[in-house]
Amino acid sequence: MIVSDAADGEEMAAALAEEKAEAALTAAGYGYRELRSSATDMDTMKVNRKGR
């Protein structure tokens, strides 16, 4: 999970996640080609709760 400021937007969070993934793969000795990522703003996410 990547924590980013809301003012930075989802694009910045996705870019940070890709950089972190690239660094982890390189450190482990794995190659990578085209990484893809998606970001979700957890503050605006709707949470469904079971009714009793």
Side-chain angles (χ1 to χ4, degrees):
M1 176 165 42
I2 302 296
V3 178
S4 179
D5 290 329
D8 292 339
E10 292 181 5
E11 294 82 16
M12 183 62 162
L16 291 172
E18 289 174 6
E19 288 176 6
K20 188 171 183 178
E22 289 174 4
L25 290 171
T26 301
Y30 295 113
Y32 57 89
R33 287 191 176 172
E34 296 178 27
L35 294 178
R36 294 175 290 175
S37 62
S38 62
T40 302
D41 184 357
M42 299 301 282
D43 290 334
T44 60
M45 178 180 262
K46 180 181 176 185
V47 177
N48 293 325
R49 302 196 181 185
K50 264 187 171 177
R52 290 187 180 191

